[in-house]
Amino acid sequence: MAEPTSHPDLPQKIMIDGYSLLPEDLVNLGYGHTAIEISPEAIARVQKSRDVIDNIVSEGRVVYGVSTGFGRFAKTTIASDKLEELQDNLIRSHCAGVGTPLPPERTRRLLALRINILAKGYSGIRLETLNKMIAAFNASCLSCIPEKGTVGASGDLAPLSHLALGLMGEGKMWSPETGWDTAAKVLAHHSLEPIRLGPKEGLALINGTQFMTALGAEALVRAKVITAQADIVAAMTLEALSGTQKAFDAGGS
């Protein structure tokens, strides 16, 4: 992966609250020159949501994806000492993507957008896990995410699983300082600890469509730039040819 060119006008930090991130912000985050942090309001929402999961586990309640299997195994209750292993295996089993790894800009955008979604406070993820994701983003520790493999509308399960796998210290990872290496070595080089999934957290990391949304945001921003450029080119061409403006006047004849 080659690093993008410098963008000195970008802000040094963006506050993530789960609601105010714009497509232009997301595209700029991909360049790797802007750090992110989570807002105090988002922190409170994330903790409140996690308290719900912790209460479910401590009370021994049967809840889908927390203390049960997934899909056809929804009625299979999982023992309390296997809840973390359940989440680990969910991630590993969905790492089925193929093809060339995403470039760093797009991987950063995917990670940033997933952090933004988790900051809404609906997923039940632990604040500790979210902070580790933010630290990985700010250090540009980027999981190996194959370009192909998403199932589309029902969720970007494969790409998001590959994203999570690297953060868990498994599979491959890339950073500007290390290049490609094992995820464990890349995280260690940056003095970062791998994520250790708690109950429900694997599901929280892969249940979403941030892969296609990140690519869509990039396409939207690029389209807006191209549209503006087209207007400028048309105006300059008309000026150079001493053309008439009447054709562009809705009230003209």
Side-chain angles (χ1 to χ4, degrees):
M1 294 183 179
E3 272 294 272
T5 56
S6 177
H7 293 259
D9 295 333
L10 294 181
Q12 292 185 342
K13 185 174 293 185
I14 287 182
M15 184 72 70
I16 297 291
D17 61 9
Y19 293 95
S20 60
L21 188 69
L22 300 175
E24 290 79 9
D25 296 329
L26 184 63
V27 169
N28 288 337
L29 283 170
Y31 297 126
H33 303 294
T34 304
I36 60 178
E37 67 177 81
I38 188 171
S39 71
E41 295 79 10
I43 290 174
R45 291 195 301 266
V46 169
Q47 187 58 59
K48 182 178 180 180
S49 176
R50 185 61 201 182
D51 290 342
V52 174
I53 302 299
D54 289 340
N55 289 336
I56 290 172
V57 174
S58 64
E59 294 170 5
R61 292 158 55 191
V62 177
V63 176
Y64 177 79
V66 179
S67 53
T68 74
F70 308 100
R72 63 182 297 182
F73 299 108
K75 295 183 179 180
T76 301
T77 303
I78 308 300
S80 59
D81 61 343
K82 297 290 185 180
L83 298 184
E84 289 79 8
E85 184 179 355
L86 173 71
Q87 302 301 317
D88 290 342
N89 288 338
L90 174 68
I91 299 299
R92 293 167 184 148
S93 66
H94 283 73
C95 287
V98 297
T100 305
L102 286 179
E105 295 93 337
R106 289 177 174 173
T107 305
R108 288 192 189 95
R109 289 168 191 145
L110 173 57
L111 177 54
L113 194 55
R114 194 62 202 160
I115 291 169
N116 183 69
I117 291 298
L118 295 172
K120 290 180 178 290
Y122 297 126
S123 70
I125 198 167
R126 291 176 299 166
L127 185 59
E128 173 188 355
T129 301
L130 185 55
N131 283 334
K132 287 184 177 180
M133 295 176 69
I134 294 172
F137 176 90
N138 289 338
S140 281
C141 293
L142 307 175
S143 303
C144 178
I145 304 173
E147 290 182 330
K148 301 177 181 179
T150 181
V151 294
S154 61
D156 292 321
L157 301 178
L160 290 173
S161 291
H162 283 284
L163 176 68
L165 189 72
L167 297 171
M168 291 163 57
E170 301 181 23
K172 291 186 177 180
M173 185 173 268
W174 179 94
S175 84
E177 295 183 13
T178 65
W180 283 110
D181 208 330
T182 64
K185 289 183 179 179
V186 174
L187 291 172
H189 176 83
H190 291 273
S191 300
L192 299 178
E193 295 183 0
I195 288 173
R196 294 288 177 258
L197 299 179
K200 210 302 190 151
E201 289 194 302
L203 196 60
L205 290 177
I206 69 172
N207 190 14
T209 56
Q210 283 66 56
F211 178 77
M212 64 180 77
T213 304
L215 297 181
E218 178 187 346
L220 173 63
V221 173
R222 292 177 65 183
K224 291 170 69 174
V225 171
I226 292 172
T227 301
Q229 291 174 339
D231 288 343
I232 294 171
V233 169
M236 293 180 66
T237 300
L238 195 66
E239 183 74 17
L241 296 176
S242 298
T244 178
Q245 299 180 26
K246 291 183 178 180
F248 304 98
D249 186 358
S253 57

